[in-house]
Amino acid sequence: MKNAPTSEMMSQKGEKNVENLTFGQYSLVYNAFSFTFATMAAATLFLWLGRSQVGPAYKTALTISGLVTAIAAYHYFRIFESWEGAYSVEGGIVAASGYAFNDAYRYVDWLLTVPLLLIELILVMRLSQEETVSKSFKLGGAAALMIILGYPGEIATDIPTRVLWGTLSAIPFVYIMWQLFAGLGASINNQPENVRELVKKARLLTFASWGFYPIVYMIPYTNLSGSDVTVGVQVGYTIADLIAKAGVGVLIYMIAVRKSQAEYGDKAFG
């Protein structure tokens, strides 16, 4: 659905929308959004239906993991609609339609899903109740702060402002990464041997995918310009989302299944 653009939206995002895209660039982003929506929706079904394969202690982790991909699926549907509405395509020629592409959907999505991504990893590790609550609040709060600080830079039209807010956003990001490797290190070593490597892989995949976001954020700093920046940012963020949400979600499922088999046998499933 196309909504009439407001003057604020056009002033904030208008410069990005008037860039001349080739048909190939437009199609690449269009198909990336479509593919990601389908992947997130499929991952949601897989994770929620997979709750029957794990013990009671791990059902919440899979519920949250599926909630992450469900929220992402909804927002990618809206992003897809917004992208389609922002451009008109006729005879292989792509032109701005006059409707602003709403990139804010990403940050709304991240504000909800990024804290949950950390919480699902904490829950599947089955720490003590006190440690679970403490780490969930600390890491979840830091993740929300990271997203809030990054948004002003994302919508900025000048590089200095983008650098300033990007740097501020990096502070909670570094804290989260430190907690993942130093704070959870001892807890990972206390995990059952058959899942220890999977937990390390989930942590490493989280680190790798999250580390990709700042790289994409910095694309406007490079020699790229115009439509190349638009395509690079949209496709880059999309790839990172696929890995951080659907990819990590599958690892969470595998960890939960293995721990359930070791702790419950087949008695608690269903």
Side-chain angles (χ1 to χ4, degrees):
M1 295 177 64
K2 295 182 179 180
N3 298 315
T6 65
S7 59
E8 182 181 0
M9 290 170 64
M10 291 300 290
S11 63
Q12 288 182 344
K13 306 301 291 182
E15 289 188 21
K16 294 183 180 181
N17 289 337
V18 298
E19 301 295 352
N20 293 322
L21 293 171
T22 66
F23 180 73
Q25 289 175 321
Y26 171 83
S27 298
L28 176 61
V29 177
Y30 181 99
N31 291 327
F33 291 161
S34 177
F35 175 80
T36 304
F37 164 68
T39 301
M40 295 297 185
T44 300
L45 291 175
F46 172 79
L47 290 165
W48 283 347
L49 292 175
R51 292 178 76 254
S52 63
Q53 305 300 313
V54 304
Y58 303 104
K59 291 184 184 294
T60 302
L62 289 193
T63 299
I64 292 178
S65 190
L67 184 60
V68 166
T69 52
I71 294 170
Y74 166 75
H75 283 109
Y76 265 96
F77 176 71
R78 297 306 302 272
I79 291 170
F80 175 84
E81 281 190 319
S82 184
W83 180 262
E84 188 178 30
Y87 299 96
S88 60
V89 182
E90 188 173 348
I93 304 299
V94 181
S97 68
Y99 293 87
F101 172 57
N102 189 355
D103 215 13
Y105 285 129
R106 286 198 183 280
Y107 276 79
V108 174
D109 175 86
W110 292 339
L111 187 60
L112 295 170
T113 59
V114 171
L116 292 177
L117 283 169
L118 293 170
I119 292 172
E120 72 183 43
L121 181 59
I122 293 169
L123 286 175
V124 84
M125 292 176 67
R126 201 179 181 184
L127 307 175
S128 68
Q129 182 176 359
E130 181 180 355
E131 194 173 7
T132 296
V133 172
S134 174
K135 289 188 180 299
S136 294
F137 272 104
K138 288 180 181 178
L139 292 178
L145 181 62
M146 176 181 68
I147 300 305
I148 292 170
L149 291 175
Y151 182 64
E154 189 69 57
I155 64 174
T157 57
D158 62 285
I159 295 300
T161 302
R162 192 176 182 90
V163 170
L164 171 63
W165 289 103
T167 302
L168 292 174
S169 179
I171 297 172
F173 172 79
V174 171
Y175 170 76
I176 291 168
M177 292 302 107
W178 177 79
Q179 281 291 332
L180 283 178
F181 283 86
L184 291 177
S187 299
I188 290 176
N189 291 331
N190 292 330
Q191 293 294 304
E193 189 174 350
N194 67 328
V195 299
R196 200 172 297 159
E197 287 304 314
L198 276 179
V199 174
K200 289 181 179 179
K201 287 179 181 178
R203 181 182 63 172
L204 185 60
L205 192 59
T206 300
F207 169 75
S209 59
W210 282 33
F212 194 57
Y213 287 103
I215 295 174
V216 177
Y217 185 91
M218 292 188 292
I219 285 179
Y221 307 164
T222 67
N223 292 328
L224 297 176
S225 61
S227 60
D228 291 334
V229 171
T230 299
V231 174
V233 167
Q234 296 306 323
V235 173
Y237 281 149
T238 299
I239 293 172
D241 278 344
L242 282 167
I243 297 171
K245 296 170 184 177
V248 172
V250 171
L251 281 178
I252 294 295
Y253 167 79
M254 293 172 64
I255 293 167
V257 168
R258 288 192 185 181
K259 293 188 73 173
S260 296
Q261 290 171 344
E263 296 173 17
Y264 295 97
D266 296 325
K267 299 177 181 179
F269 301 162

